[in-house]
Amino acid sequence: MIYCVEDEQNICELEVYTLQSVGMEAKGCGSGRELFAELEKRVPKLIVLDIMLPDEDGVSILRRLRADKRYAAIPVIMATAKGSEFDKVKGLDSGADDYIAKPFGMLEMVARIKAVLRRCAAQSQLPAEDIIRVANLEVNSSEHKVSVDGQEVVLTLKEYELLKKFLLHPGIVFSRDKLLNDIWGYEFSGETRTVDVHIRTLRQKLGSAGDLVETIRGVGYRMAAEK
């Protein structure tokens, strides 16, 4: 199931119709309130979320999703105003998996959705031990859980993917551009700031284990091989 959150009824109906026509199950929601009501019934594979909504803006909705353990891992594609760099960066910084500028073609929307779903599927199938430990940090891949000193830490999907990438390659330095390409799947030219934002929030959430993610000045980030 894919939820399309769009308050303009004709656009919402077109999005749902297009997805259904290519064999995807889809449902439209006209507001954040409707979305959260639907989430109580069924958790979708992905959400296409417009930024401009009548009751609550899309970025606020996205932050609520990422803060809720039940919904934090749902991939979200933000629909932003055409040419609005602010909306685009704000959406990515808040945990969006991708963005699409309005007005957009339906085939472009389908392509973006398929690309995000492929990335998420590939990420979940990465070969790795079920449990990875570094110092007081533990990641249980099979249960998609992270804990520090035995206490569970709730991460967004992108924060989790970043952490897992570092853990699978301890001591290897990744540039911001490399992380953008590998984690977000696109060349977000000039938007490496979003990596810094995600690293900062990841460190904050990891608490005493946050300094395991090291900054290599002028290069990028890495996971400490030992600490």
Side-chain angles (χ1 to χ4, degrees), residues 53-74:
L53 293 168
D55 59 341
E56 183 179 3
D57 71 85
V59 172
S60 175
I61 292 170
L62 176 61
R63 288 172 178 158
R64 287 176 60 193
L65 291 170
R66 294 302 183 234
D68 193 316
K69 184 178 177 181
R70 297 170 296 172
Y71 312 132
I74 301 173

Side-chain angles (χ1 to χ4, degrees), residues 1-2 16-27 109-111 113-114 117:
M1 172 64 75
I2 294 172
V16 171
Y17 172 79
T18 300
L19 292 172
Q20 291 175 341
S21 70
V22 296
M24 297 182 181
E25 193 176 358
K27 185 178 182 64
M109 179 190 70
V110 171
I113 289 172
K114 288 182 176 179
L117 290 176

